[in-house]
Amino acid sequence: MAKVLYSCTMSLDGFIAGPGGDMSWLSEHLGPNPTVEGFMARIGSLLVGHRSFRGDDPHRGTPKEGKPFGGGWSGQQFVLTHNPPGNPVPGTTFVGDLNTGLAKAKAAAGEGYVNVIGAGVAAQCLAADELDELLVLVAPVLLGDGVRLFDHPGGTRVRLERLSLTHTPHSTDLWLRVVR
């Protein structure tokens, strides 16, 4: 059965995107990473938030723009949105609610991971007790403002267990399991 994993790169001060969703900061922190390369081979499908799907791309202006992981992965994507585009997008299914999106993404993933892209969708998965693991690449930069990894005013404590800790010159990689 598929596991649901949230993967992202985060600044040391806890932001996954800069102000207004800006992802341009990320491009200088991308590079060869055996942890990421190994994990991408295990992704069976993507569950993507509407803002992430339509949002800023760290590969903007390059041939990699608009491609998952800059073209490093291909497969079925499920985008959570109430406003799908008028024209079909190859390899992409638009779904209106989390339960439908998760069910379709898990079926498409088979034994692989459903990789969640987008802080809002990851928070929804966590609240629904559907998030199994997190892969957080901590980049050596302070952004000061932007979109937080998880933002839950009033807070909810979530226990995590470290599965692995690796590093490259571009990031320190934390692979964690949600403790239930």
Side-chain angles (χ1 to χ4, degrees):
M1 179 179 216
K3 288 185 179 178
V4 179
L5 170 93
Y6 176 37
S7 69
C8 63
T9 300
M10 173 183 81
S11 65
L12 185 59
D13 54 350
F15 298 101
I16 61 166
D22 176 34
M23 294 296 293
S24 62
W25 69 274
L26 183 57
S27 60
E28 70 184 82
H29 301 285
L30 299 173
N33 187 321
T35 299
V36 172
E37 291 153 14
F39 132 76
M40 280 198 304
R42 296 166 55 196
I43 297 173
S45 68
L46 301 179
L47 182 61
V48 183
H50 177 79
R51 283 181 295 182
S52 294
F53 181 74
R54 296 193 186 282
D56 202 356
D57 187 334
H59 300 286
R60 182 164 292 183
T62 74
K64 297 179 177 185
E65 183 175 357
K67 298 175 184 173
F69 297 97
W73 182 85
S74 64
Q76 187 64 39
Q77 296 184 64
F78 299 87
V79 177
L80 213 55
T81 182
H82 296 294
N83 300 305
N87 296 324
V89 177
T92 304
T93 301
F94 297 92
V95 294
D97 66 89
L98 181 66
N99 290 335
T100 301
L102 277 169
K104 289 180 181 244
K106 284 179 178 181
E111 296 295 316
Y113 279 107
V114 172
N115 185 60
V116 174
I117 298 178
V121 175
Q124 289 178 55
C125 289
L126 187 61
D129 198 28
E130 291 284 350
L131 191 64
D132 299 303
E133 298 178 11
L134 293 90
L135 174 58
V136 181
L137 284 61
V138 182
V141 64
L142 299 170
L143 293 180
D145 193 11
V147 178
R148 291 207 173 274
L149 174 69
F150 280 105
D151 194 11
H152 187 163
T156 300
R157 183 175 179 215
V158 177
R159 290 188 49 230
L160 304 171
E161 173 187 24
R162 188 178 71 206
L163 298 176
S164 72
L165 173 65
T166 57
H167 63 89
T168 70
H170 306 286
S171 67
T172 299
D173 311 332
L174 297 164
W175 200 311
L176 308 151
R177 181 179 66 80
V178 176
V179 177
R180 293 189 165 91

